[in-house]
């Protein structure tokens, strides 16, 4: 189970023209926005990355997290970037809630590297995309077979919330509505 004190949200490369090329990009954007809004209510840290030469993170997301400075990377796996590794280690959390693009490239390679170094990866299946549905599905299957736990936006938020008695429950219910 996800624990608020032990997890963080990692948003990978939802930027520029790459985002515009995604299959089902509207659904991706809707779910990532829900994740960001819920995660912020629950005081969970957020890390965001950008692949070089592709443009900035889409404004619909940066507007929701003005205090999060994206980590610009050249490697497909976030773990290949020394700045990313410093930041993820500094957070001292072992559960990574993973979303972004593309499911079969940067998300996939990052998931495998995080698993290899001992992180628990929670892949938010309705918050990852690729240019083609087949590549998305293959990427998800490979991550799950490597040990990532598959989840959904609502599953993550309710798992972190734990109980309807939590004072933040009403705010979370508004987000998923």
């Amino acid at each position: 189970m996800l624990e608020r004190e032990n997890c963080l949200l990692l948003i990978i490369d939802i930027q520029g023209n790459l985002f515009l090329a995604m299959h089902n990009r509207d659904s991706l954007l809707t779910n990532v926005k829900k994740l960001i809004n819920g995660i912020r209510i629950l005081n969970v840290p957020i890390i965001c990355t950008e692949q070089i030469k592709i443009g900035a993170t889409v404004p619909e997301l940066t507007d929701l997290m003005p205090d999060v400075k994206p980590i610009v990377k050249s490697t497909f796996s976030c773990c290949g970037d020394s700045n990313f590794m410093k930041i993820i280690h500094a957070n001292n959390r072992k559960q990574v809630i993973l979303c972004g693009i593309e499911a079969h490239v940067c998300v996939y390679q990052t998931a495998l590297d995080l698993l290899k170094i001992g992180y628990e990866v929670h892949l938010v299946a309705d918050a990852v995309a690729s240019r083609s549905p087949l590549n998305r599905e293959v990427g998800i299957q490979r991550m799950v077979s490597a040990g990532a736990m598959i989840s959904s936006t609502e599953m993550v938020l309710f798992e972190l919330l734990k109980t309807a008695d939590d004072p933040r429950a009403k705010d979370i219910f508004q987000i998923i509505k």
Side-chain angles (χ1 to χ4, degrees), residues 10-16 18-19 22 28 47-52 54-58 61 71-73 75-78 99-102 105-107 110:
L10 173 55
I11 304 166
I12 299 178
D13 305 347
I14 304 177
Q15 60 191 111
L18 181 61
F19 168 72
M22 289 303 104
L28 168 74
I47 298 175
C48 179
T49 67
E50 293 177 347
Q51 188 70 29
I52 61 166
I54 297 177
T57 299
V58 297
L61 301 182
I71 300 165
V72 179
K73 63 183 181 62
T75 57
F76 296 126
S77 171
C78 295
C99 67
I101 57 178
E102 284 191 78
V105 184
C106 296
V107 177
T110 300

Side-chain angles (χ1 to χ4, degrees), residues 104-116:
H104 67 293
V105 184
C106 296
V107 177
Y108 164 73
Q109 291 184 29
T110 300
L112 267 58
D113 283 347
L114 288 170
L115 290 163
K116 195 182 323 177

Side-chain angles (χ1 to χ4, degrees), residues 18-38:
L18 181 61
F19 168 72
L20 295 176
M22 289 303 104
H23 176 77
N24 237 0
R25 72 177 173 265
D26 293 336
S27 176
L28 168 74
L29 187 61
T30 296
N31 289 321
V32 175
K33 287 167 68 175
K34 287 178 184 179
L35 279 171
I36 292 169
N37 287 327

